[in-house]
Amino acid sequence: MAEAGVPGSGRLVEGLRAYRLIGAMWIRSTMAYRASFAMTTFANFAVTALDFVAILLMFSRIDALGGWPLPEVAFLYGLSSVAFGLADLAIGSMERLGQRVRDGTLDTLLVRPAPVLAQVAADRFALRRLGRITQGSLVLGYALAAVDIHWTPLRLLLMPVAVVSGAAIFCAVFVAGAAFQFVAQDASEVQNAFTYGGATLLQYPPTVFGRELVRGVTFLLPLAFVTWIPAAYVLGRPIPLGLPDWVAFAPPLVAGVCCALAGLAWRTGLRSYRSTGS
């Protein structure tokens, strides 16, 4: 009777429990080969660091990029990398859904007594993705030390809120992209264009992009709420597109709406799925 007043709460708890159990299984499997884990994590760290090396090489020739100096660009880079890294760690496996649809292995998940979304998200949970989060955190730490920020209680509060909300927005993009693969079964690269491509886009200042692109990334696919908008407020810069300062505190609301829409897209895609044997 207690659950009757909270529709879907039991399903949510069940999904979280399934995710935790499957993720723990893959973590135990990974830690059975600690040397391999250390090497793959370092490789992930090194590969993602090349993105920032490219930025450093760029700044060896220029003093500012779109009016933003290196420490401020590093702030954007670190914020984007940490938020995306958390989402990639949590549900990066969603990008393989198209392969499961094509080879029919998704059918095995449908007959298990656990939510399909939780099973797909936790499948092959890869701790090596901590390398991206570590590398992004180091760059963000450098940026916070190098940039002269006038810290206020609101700016201090916004930092963790922006990271968590940004990770949730990227999670929503992962889920929505996976839902699209129910229709276009070979669309992992399309999904990657919005996930990995979106993370790379946000590492650069909005001033280097056309106004129409900035509008699209703000109002259509609201990735701007991951870095550009909260970062502008923290750094004391004008909010992109001339938006008011209070918009910098909208990432939690935007994340909630994105997650709700992604959940709706997932349920619609799953209902439309027809087994490869049908």
Side-chain angles (χ1 to χ4, degrees), residues 30-150:
T30 298
M31 299 311 293
Y33 304 94
R34 295 179 184 271
S36 175
F37 164 69
M39 288 187 291
T40 54
T41 302
F42 177 76
N44 185 267
F45 176 96
V47 169
T48 55
L50 292 177
D51 291 337
F52 191 63
V53 170
I55 293 175
L56 292 177
L57 291 174
M58 192 183 306
F59 273 92
S60 69
R61 300 294 182 183
I62 60 176
D63 295 325
L65 181 62
W68 293 54
L70 175 60
E72 294 185 351
V73 174
F75 185 83
L76 289 177
Y77 177 95
L79 199 58
S80 172
S81 294
V82 173
F84 177 76
L86 290 172
D88 192 33
L89 175 67
I91 63 172
S93 298
M94 298 293 297
E95 66 182 8
R96 287 195 292 270
L97 179 69
Q99 180 181 345
R100 282 191 171 276
V101 172
R102 292 192 304 274
D103 61 25
T105 55
L106 181 63
D107 294 359
T108 63
L109 305 185
L110 295 173
V111 298
R112 293 175 182 172
V116 178
L117 178 59
Q119 296 183 67
V120 175
D123 184 43
R124 300 186 180 278
F125 187 90
L127 272 181
R128 68 177 182 276
R129 291 169 176 154
L130 287 171
R132 180 189 294 273
I133 299 173
T134 303
Q135 187 263 337
S137 298
L138 291 175
V139 175
L140 183 59
Y142 153 73
L144 291 173
V147 178
D148 184 18
I149 300 176
H150 176 61

